[in-house]
Amino acid sequence: MSEPKTFWENKILRWEKSRYSDWQRYYPPAWPIRRRLEASIQAIHHGLPRGSRVLELGCGSGYLAEALWGYCGHYQGVDIAEGAIAVARQRVPACEFEFFAGDAVNFISQPCDLTVFLGLTDWLTPLELRALFRRVTSKHILFSYTDVALWSPYRLYRAVMDKPTNRDSYRGRNYSATQIQDLLDENGFASHHVLQPTLFNPGALVWATAITHD
């Protein structure tokens, strides 16, 4: 069974380079991830006033944080990979931006206006994902998930690249819009899709707002 910390220490920086490097703008597999980052930045600027407080779970080496530098009043980024956190601290050396190496699912944050998790959902079991939604205390959430239709070519990629070696193997997971909506309803959030999943890009991006939040 793959252990999450070791898995991400070995993968995240290499994966980010293969998606976010300047020359990767010409590489089609990188386009959906780059588009998700751009859409996330736009959604934050549209949905939050300048000076707001943001918590990012699974922040990697700080690409979103760098884009929010000068816009957020306070930012906390959490990632299980210590190597990625070290790079993030170098990338965004602002005193109002803090980065922590640790378990994003169980991280106890300071009060914030927005909780962000891009890509994290895919690597959580249904029980872990439910627990994460219950822990969110911010008024807003911005998160992604992968919704793969039965006929989608991406399902073959997941079957080959993320094929489990046993029942409990650590691997990427798919969630349906119904599953995600049930979690949002259960925790009192209204939502809309910033990015809808498509046949060739199954990644969805959702903005949610607490209905009863003061």
Side-chain angles (χ1 to χ4, degrees), residues 83-203:
I85 290 297
V87 175
R89 288 172 177 156
Q90 295 177 350
R91 177 171 280 131
V92 189
C95 61
E96 67 273 20
F97 278 64
E98 300 178 286
F99 296 94
F100 303 91
D103 184 353
V105 177
N106 297 313
F107 179 74
I108 299 175
S109 70
Q110 297 177 14
C112 61
D113 303 298
L114 170 69
T115 302
V116 181
F117 42 103
L118 305 177
L120 178 62
T121 299
D122 292 8
W123 298 92
L124 301 180
T125 67
L127 287 177
E128 289 172 332
L129 186 57
R130 176 166 278 104
L132 174 58
F133 271 95
R134 287 176 177 171
R135 290 176 62 85
V136 171
T137 59
S138 57
K139 180 177 181 180
H140 305 286
I141 314 174
L142 177 64
F143 67 97
S144 65
Y145 69 96
T146 301
D147 186 355
V148 183
L150 288 174
W151 56 86
S152 172
Y154 195 79
R155 182 171 289 275
L156 177 61
Y157 171 84
R158 273 278 164 97
V160 174
M161 299 302 293
D162 294 324
K163 183 178 180 180
T165 55
N166 59 63
R167 181 178 177 182
D168 298 319
S169 289
Y170 186 63
R171 65 188 188 280
R173 298 174 184 270
N174 308 317
Y175 284 96
S176 69
T178 299
Q179 288 175 301
I180 295 299
Q181 190 58 55
D182 286 346
L183 286 173
L184 292 168
D185 291 343
E186 181 181 315
N187 291 279
F189 282 89
S191 67
H192 69 273
H193 276 75
V194 178
L195 293 176
Q196 290 278 5
T198 64
L199 179 62
F200 293 102
N201 178 16

Side-chain angles (χ1 to χ4, degrees), residues 25-40:
R25 71 182 68 236
Y26 305 109
Y27 181 51
W31 295 347
I33 301 300
R34 297 173 73 97
R35 173 63 182 134
R36 184 180 71 185
L37 179 62
E38 293 168 0
S40 297

Side-chain angles (χ1 to χ4, degrees), residues 38-50 67-72 114 207:
E38 293 168 0
S40 297
I41 296 166
Q42 293 171 5
I44 292 171
H45 280 255
H46 177 76
L48 288 182
R50 183 181 294 273
L68 298 178
W69 191 357
Y71 190 81
C72 289
L114 170 69
W207 181 279

Side-chain angles (χ1 to χ4, degrees), residues 3-16 56-62 77-91 99-105 120 170:
E3 194 274 323
K5 188 176 189 307
T6 301
F7 178 89
W8 287 111
E9 288 286 6
N10 292 332
K11 176 175 180 173
I12 186 60
L13 292 177
R14 184 177 68 252
W15 181 88
E16 286 183 331
E56 185 180 5
L57 303 175
C59 66
S61 65
V78 186
D79 200 279
I80 198 169
E82 295 179 5
I85 290 297
V87 175
R89 288 172 177 156
Q90 295 177 350
R91 177 171 280 131
F99 296 94
F100 303 91
D103 184 353
V105 177
L120 178 62
Y170 186 63

